[in-house]
Amino acid sequence: MGDVLTVSTSETTTGAIRYRGRNEVPPQFRPPRAPRHFVGRGEELSAIRAGGVTVLSGPGGVGKTALALKWLQDRGSGDQLYVDLATREPIADVLRSFGLIEVPAAERAAVFRSLAMRRQFTLLLDNADSAEQVTPLLPASGTVLVTSRERLNLEQAQEIDVEPLVDDPRLDALLDLSYVELPERQARLYRLCAWEPGPFDVPVAAAIAGEADCDVEDALDDLVEKSLLTEVGDAFRFHELVRAHARTKR
Ligand SMILES: Nc1ncnc2c1ncn2[C@@H]1O[C@H](COP(=O)(O)OP(=O)(O)OP(=O)(O)O)[C@@H](O)[C@H]1O
Ligand SMILES: [Mg+2]
């Protein structure tokens, strides 16, 4: 049996939720693993405070999500809820996964806050695009990490500017460890696609490699799984340091 939540109309209005059942976060809302070859970011990791709201802001691909995931993984305790705000109806989806099926749109934020409070979730709100989007979702207490390409200037939150990683020799060594374990098709794609200057999709990668779309798609998914590549919508992109590493390979 999964989680069971009951909400009556009057309770929905106040955002109160009665919960019973097992205390588990559905798999699709658990944070994914941090990159296996995570390096650096010591200062940022120690600046993130438990029990408060921290916004990690910076340009696309700089490493905001990876940093947040690493912090969550190191912390390891309590229930952690990962919400990708860039998806179509993220909050409705979260509520639905906890059995709250027909919460009216105007009340979802309040019900979400209540859920987060009751369960004392540590939240990662990934890919926020504005303060207006995030503010209604913040529970009155608890730990919340937010990532955004914009500075959000949220009240009572600390905001960390995530800057590009300086070249770190340890990253090359760690990437080598991942690279030598790649099956040949993945290793070849890793080397070849790194010469694409920007994001690329499956047909482009297939053309570069001279292979069928379906074969290439699986291999690209595996590279994403291994944190060597990032998926952005229908496209794939290298972190610039990973790209630099891939370009040194023959
Ligand atoms: N400190 C790190 N060590 C190793 N790999 C990293 C590190 N930071 C980021 N990466 C890798 O770089 C890529 C991009 O990082 P990430 O997805 O965190 O960027 P982002 O800032 O969240 O980008 P976006 O704004 O597009 O969401 C990923 O493949 C990630 O695994
Ligand atoms: Mg991200």
Side-chain angles (χ1 to χ4, degrees):
M1 267 284 281
D3 292 332
V4 183
L5 281 154
T6 52
V7 178
S8 73
T9 317
S10 61
E11 281 176 325
T12 322
T13 317
T14 58
I17 293 169
R18 226 178 316 122
Y19 167 78
R20 62 176 201 274
R22 272 192 19 242
N23 198 28
E24 274 218 341
V25 175
Q28 70 273 34
F29 296 111
R30 291 180 203 157
R33 291 184 56 78
R36 193 150 61 97
H37 54 263
F38 189 90
V39 289
R41 302 289 190 207
E43 263 179 46
E44 291 91 339
L45 285 167
S46 50
I48 299 173
R49 284 191 309 263
V53 180
T54 304
V55 180
L56 305 173
S57 53
V62 80
K64 304 176 293 295
T65 302
L67 171 60
L69 294 175
K70 173 70 174 156
W71 189 86
L72 290 177
Q73 195 167 298
D74 288 352
R75 192 146 176 273
S77 61
D79 277 334
Q80 303 180 337
L81 187 75
Y82 170 88
V83 186
D84 183 354
L85 294 177
T87 58
R88 210 166 55 85
E89 288 200 310
I91 301 307
D93 287 344
V94 170
L95 297 181
R96 206 171 296 125
S97 78
F98 284 95
L100 297 160
I101 310 165
E102 285 176 20
V103 181
E107 295 179 359
R108 282 179 200 150
V111 177
F112 175 83
R113 288 198 308 269
S114 174
L115 176 71
M117 285 287 287
R118 292 219 163 198
R119 303 279 293 262
Q120 299 199 309
F121 287 139
T122 297
L123 296 179
L124 170 50
L125 304 175
D126 203 15
N127 299 314
D129 57 26
S130 65
E132 294 69 42
Q133 184 187 29
V134 172
T135 306
L137 304 176
L138 298 177
S141 65
T143 305
V144 185
L145 303 186
V146 182
T147 82
S148 179
R149 292 185 184 175
E150 312 295 327
R151 291 199 107 250
L152 297 184
N153 302 314
L154 293 183
E155 243 172 80
Q156 291 169 338
Q158 76 159 332
E159 189 135 355
I160 298 178
D161 286 322
V162 184
E163 314 253 339
L165 277 171
V166 286
D167 208 346
D168 187 326
R170 286 172 308 165
L171 179 61
D172 263 3
L174 286 160
L175 287 169
D176 273 339
L177 290 178
S178 299
Y179 178 73
V180 295
E181 287 173 9
L182 295 177
E184 180 47 31
R185 171 174 280 137
Q186 290 172 35
R188 184 162 173 272
L189 271 174
Y190 178 71
R191 293 190 302 268
L192 290 176
C193 292
W195 296 98
E196 260 309 293
F200 54 91
D201 59 12
V202 171
V204 166
I208 295 172
E211 294 192 43
D213 282 15
C214 54
D215 294 335
V216 165
E217 187 165 10
D218 287 346
L220 292 174
D221 286 343
D222 285 333
L223 289 173
V224 171
E225 186 101 334
K226 292 169 187 166
S227 302
L228 292 172
L229 206 57
T230 310
E231 206 166 357
V232 259
D234 289 336
F236 298 87
R237 191 189 58 204
F238 281 97
H239 187 278
E240 48 190 288
L241 295 181
V242 181
R243 186 205 305 282
H245 172 266
R247 285 185 175 183
T248 65
K249 297 296 151 193
R250 297 286 174 271

